[in-house]
Amino acid sequence: MAELGATHDGSESGEKVSTVAGAVLTTFFDALAKTDDLADIAANLKKLVLADGVFAEPAVRATLFPDAP
């Protein structure tokens, strides 16, 4: 049974699933990347959250504030 809000590309092997949350986060990170001072941070956050699947507060904090002790 498919998740509510999930879309499928139709292929049986290696099926890619895109959720509404993933689409919203992708749009958010892409818009954030257009801000001059936040472009690098947006790219790092996008990788952390969407590619690596990490949404834990310590990891997000370390990405947002890389120079903090």
Side-chain angles (χ1 to χ4, degrees):
M1 179 182 233
E3 287 184 31
L4 183 62
T7 58
H8 303 278
D9 71 354
S11 65
E12 291 298 318
S13 62
E15 187 172 0
K16 184 173 181 159
V17 176
S18 175
T19 63
V20 172
V24 169
L25 287 170
T26 297
T27 302
F28 170 73
F29 291 133
D30 290 346
L32 193 63
K34 293 177 184 175
T35 304
D36 293 335
D37 295 338
L38 301 176
D40 292 336
I41 291 173
N44 292 338
L45 278 175
K46 185 175 183 177
K47 180 192 175 302
L48 179 73
V49 173
L50 297 176
D52 299 341
V54 176
F55 208 79
E57 187 258 337
V60 172
R61 183 183 300 265
T63 301
L64 287 172
F65 308 106
D67 297 332

